[in-house]
Amino acid sequence: GCEVMPVFSSGQSARQAPDTWKALGTTDLIYACGGGIMGHPQGISAGVTSLHQAWEAAAKEIPLPVYAETHPELKAALELFGA
């Protein structure tokens, strides 16, 4: 058939992962967040890492602030973009 994949963009960062996970129950999506990556205070690589960490936490249903205690890239993202 005609499968579709949800695409999220514009203003995305690590902080939206839990709500998106709760709404969809999957990581099968496109999560386009240039500012959430390139705006990360520790650089682009840390921005990508923070998103991976946020989605790991969301899929495990661990609150982002709790997961961020042991994941410095996510912690920095939440401090910049809000939790």
Side-chain angles (χ1 to χ4, degrees), residues 5-7 13 22 25 28 40 46 51 53 56 60 63 69 72 76-77:
M5 180 175 286
V7 178
S13 70
K22 286 178 189 171
D28 194 14
H40 194 283
L51 290 170
Q53 294 167 347
E56 289 169 2
K60 294 177 182 179
E69 291 173 6

Side-chain angles (χ1 to χ4, degrees), residues 42 49-50 52-54 56-57 60 62-79:
Q42 297 171 346
T49 300
S50 74
H52 285 276
Q53 294 167 347
E56 289 169 2
K60 294 177 182 179
I62 300 171
L64 292 183
V66 172
Y67 207 68
E69 291 173 6
T70 56
H71 295 84
E73 298 87 358
L74 179 57
K75 183 176 182 177
L78 296 180
E79 288 172 354

